[in-house]
């Protein structure tokens, strides 16, 4: 399986990160399967970064083999969603960007893709109207709604499938809204989708 992640998919997050230009196509990057962090296991801050940020996202699970998928059929290719965290080594990302280098290492390190419990898409009336948020130590720090995405879920699936075959079990991290920030040892992170807690982990 592969983890397909979308960058700069929420306007307010783009502004908070200083990205003012418009992108005519989605910004896509990959994380390796070794980035997965599941089953409420703790996230250990790596020793190569002094600035690990949380980025809360809706995650979509692919359930069919697909290539060159038309947007109108894309909804047939995923069956479950959850809340995830795209942990980012912001200091590394900043340095790589300044040097004009690829920044996959700042995004794809071990356990940088935290996953909550998946729930069926059929539970929700409209996947592009889902609210999600993150609490740290009981305080809400980030909130988003899929209606605010620059590129809709079905369009993302269609776009990526032009370039690479989607396989059963592949995951889409669909982008983060505004409100990202650093984590520190001892914090308790809880992710919610439509008011239901799906993600629960501690920072070590």
């Amino acid at each position: 399986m592969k983890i397909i992640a979308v960058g700069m998919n929420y306007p307010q997050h783009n502004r908070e990160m200083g990205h003012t230009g418009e992108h005519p196509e989605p910004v896509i990057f990959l994380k390796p399967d070794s980035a997965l962090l599941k089953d409420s296991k703790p996230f250990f801050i790596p020793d190569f970064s002094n600035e690990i940020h949380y980025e809360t996202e809706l995650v979509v699970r692919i359930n069919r083999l697909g290539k060159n998928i038309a947007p109108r059929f894309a909804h047939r290719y995923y069956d479950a969603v959850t809340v995830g965290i795209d942990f980012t080594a912001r200091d590394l990302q900043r340095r790589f960007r300044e040097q004009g280098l690829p920044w996959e290492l700042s995004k794809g390190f071990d356990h940088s893709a935290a996953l909550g419990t998946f729930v069926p898409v059929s539970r929700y009336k409209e996947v592009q109207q889902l609210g999600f948020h993150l609490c740290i130590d009981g305080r809400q720090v980030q909130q988003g709604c899929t209606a605010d995405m620059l590129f809709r879920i079905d369009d993302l699936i269609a776009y990526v499938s032009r370039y690479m075959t989607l396989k059963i079990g592949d995951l889409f991290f669909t982008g983060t809204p505004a409100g990202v920030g650093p984590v520190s040892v001892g914090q308790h992170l809880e992710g919610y989708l439509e008011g239901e807690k799906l993600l629960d982990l501690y920072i070590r």
Side-chain angles (χ1 to χ4, degrees):
M1 57 81 65
K2 53 187 173 291
I3 304 168
I4 302 154
V6 185
M8 295 182 279
N9 202 26
Y10 285 82
Q12 290 184 337
H13 172 62
N14 295 347
R15 287 192 287 272
E16 78 174 347
M17 298 302 293
H19 304 303
T20 56
E22 293 185 4
H23 296 273
E25 296 182 345
V27 176
I28 303 296
F29 61 95
L30 300 178
K31 288 175 175 264
D33 58 4
S34 54
L36 281 180
L37 180 65
K38 302 185 295 183
D39 304 323
S40 297
K41 292 180 180 178
F43 172 80
F44 289 87
I45 295 178
D47 59 7
F48 52 73
S49 174
N50 296 311
E51 192 181 355
I52 298 291
H53 280 203
Y54 60 82
E55 296 189 8
T56 313
E57 313 196 4
L58 183 84
V59 182
V60 175
R61 184 177 68 193
I62 299 297
N63 69 331
R64 294 177 63 182
L65 186 72
K67 174 70 174 174
N68 290 321
I69 302 166
R72 67 182 183 276
F73 297 132
H75 67 278
R76 302 178 181 177
Y77 287 81
Y78 55 96
D79 65 346
V81 293
T82 190
V83 176
I85 297 179
D86 167 22
F87 284 111
T88 302
R90 193 72 72 199
D91 47 356
L92 294 187
Q93 185 185 48
R94 190 180 304 116
R95 189 179 80 213
F96 292 147
R97 279 179 166 164
E98 289 172 352
Q99 297 173 355
L101 299 174
W103 37 266
E104 275 81 3
L105 291 180
S106 70
K107 290 279 193 177
F109 57 90
D110 287 353
H111 303 151
S112 61
L115 280 180
T117 301
F118 277 100
V119 294
V121 171
S122 58
R123 181 180 298 184
Y124 307 107
K125 183 177 180 180
E126 174 53 66
V127 74
Q128 288 298 155
Q129 295 288 338
L130 296 179
F132 59 96
H133 68 274
L134 178 72
C135 290
I136 297 182
D137 295 334
R139 182 176 66 89
Q140 182 173 301
V141 296
Q142 194 175 19
Q143 179 179 1
C145 180
T146 57
D148 297 327
M149 288 180 173
L150 292 172
F151 299 97
R152 294 165 55 89
I153 294 168
D154 290 357
D155 293 331
L156 291 170
I157 289 172
Y159 177 81
V160 171
S161 73
R162 291 173 54 197
Y163 299 92
M164 60 185 74
T165 300
L166 300 183
K167 296 185 176 183
I168 296 172
D170 286 352
L171 303 174
F172 268 81
F173 276 66
T174 57
T176 194
V180 303
V183 296
S184 58
V185 172
Q187 288 181 327
H188 182 200
L189 276 59
E190 298 169 290
Y192 294 80
L193 179 62
E194 290 291 292
E196 180 182 3
K197 184 166 71 171
L198 300 180
L199 182 145
D200 191 331
L201 62 86
Y202 285 86
I203 307 296
R204 301 299 190 204

